[in-house]
Amino acid sequence: MGNSEQVEKRVIVALDVPDEQSAIALIDRLPQVSFWKVGLELFTSTGPKILEVLKSKEKRIFLDLKFHDIPNTVAGACRSAARYGVDLLTIHAAAGEDALKAASEAVQEAATQAGVKPPKLIAITLLTSISSRQLAFDLKVPVELPEYILDMALLAWDVGLDGVVCSPQELAQLRPRFKDDFLLVCPGVRPTWADKGDQKRSLTPAQAIIAGADYLVIGRPITTATEPELAWKRISEELTTVA
């Protein structure tokens, strides 16, 4: 890392708001943020219009729609998403090898046709709201959570995806296993002063960067703060300790 500004660029702020007006207000309130996540709620509300807004403001975009369907449907969705020129795009690793391969091929093909840079396609290993107990008892997965996470990451790696989404607590296990160009994107990052909410497996921003995260996804600690600018400043100051 060079300096604190470079570390800041590895923070993706989640635009977890219900409509375009709220999203634009937050984007304008935090001009220092260069990378924004658009998830299911906002994209379902606004469609691609919010992506156009972010592009017009020269922001980077993480389109986090977590595709999980049969290979043909996933490929079609990824083909459409790639044409938007977003930077990161997600698919569930649990969709299986065939779906991951189809998605990867579709992204490259569509981006080439549209004349845009293909998004980095990253796989969801396991939602950060899922605990070890829920994995075993609710989802009936008969392996330990760390083993399951590693298996999903290895599947994504073998298929040729660009990285995975994992909780910060899996970083110590995953970072040594993969090359530096295999992205590890971490939601569920919570500063010590923020409420953990429904995140079961979290670390602080500084801890996550030190453990090997390429990008941190931070939403509610910033977006629901009374003063989002102050929350962003506090997180930025924390990250100067690892710059």
Side-chain angles (χ1 to χ4, degrees):
M1 286 319 316
N3 55 43
S4 59
E5 184 179 350
Q6 286 178 300
V7 180
E8 281 181 10
K9 288 181 179 178
R10 292 163 65 181
V11 177
I12 303 172
V13 178
L15 268 175
D16 292 337
V17 293
D19 53 54
E20 182 184 353
Q21 184 178 359
S22 302
I24 292 173
L26 188 60
I27 295 163
D28 289 343
R29 196 167 177 179
L30 293 169
Q32 314 95 314
V33 177
S34 61
F35 211 153
W36 292 91
K37 178 178 85 76
V38 175
L40 279 172
E41 181 181 14
L42 185 58
F43 193 79
T44 302
S45 171
T46 70
K49 192 172 181 184
I50 189 60
L51 306 182
E52 295 168 7
V53 169
L54 286 163
K55 283 283 186 181
S56 73
K57 296 177 182 293
E58 300 184 340
K59 304 298 184 180
R60 299 182 73 198
I61 303 169
F62 175 16
L63 185 57
D64 185 28
L65 301 182
K66 300 182 177 73
F67 297 134
H68 190 171
D69 215 309
I70 62 173
N72 187 62
T73 301
V74 162
C78 286
R79 197 172 288 115
S80 295
R83 296 190 185 107
Y84 296 137
V86 299
D87 299 277
L88 292 177
L89 182 65
T90 46
I91 179 174
H92 272 281
E97 182 178 350
D98 290 346
L100 297 182
K101 285 181 177 177
S104 183
E105 291 167 3
V107 158
Q108 298 297 324
E109 174 191 327
T112 299
Q113 290 175 350
V116 297
K117 185 178 178 181
K120 299 286 188 183
L121 187 60
I122 56 177
I124 306 293
T125 52
L126 184 68
L127 297 175
T128 51
S129 58
I130 303 286
S131 66
S132 296
R133 180 177 176 81
Q134 289 169 320
L135 182 69
F137 291 96
D138 296 349
L139 303 184
K140 311 300 181 188
V141 175
V143 297
E144 294 296 323
L145 189 146
E147 182 183 350
Y148 181 81
I149 298 288
L150 179 58
D151 286 345
M152 294 298 100
L154 287 169
L155 175 60
W157 168 265
D158 290 342
V159 169
L161 267 59
D162 298 295
V164 295
V165 178
C166 64
S167 95
Q169 291 188 2
E170 279 86 58
L171 287 167
Q173 174 193 15
L174 297 182
R175 185 76 280 169
R177 296 292 296 263
F178 299 102
K179 294 180 180 177
D180 288 344
D181 59 356
F182 190 70
L183 299 177
L184 299 181
V185 179
C186 293
V189 176
R190 291 288 183 268
T192 54
W193 43 266
D195 181 9
K196 285 190 176 181
D198 55 8
Q199 301 295 347
K200 301 293 197 307
R201 309 185 326 271
S202 64
L203 290 180
T204 69
Q207 288 170 335
I209 289 289
I210 291 168
D214 293 290
Y215 292 103
L216 312 179
V217 182
I218 305 176
R220 282 168 286 184
I222 296 172
T223 59
T224 65
T226 306
E227 297 181 71
E229 303 94 333
L230 180 58
W232 171 260
K233 183 181 179 183
R234 290 179 71 180
I235 289 169
S236 298
E237 288 173 350
E238 177 183 336
L239 290 174
T240 62
T241 63
V242 295

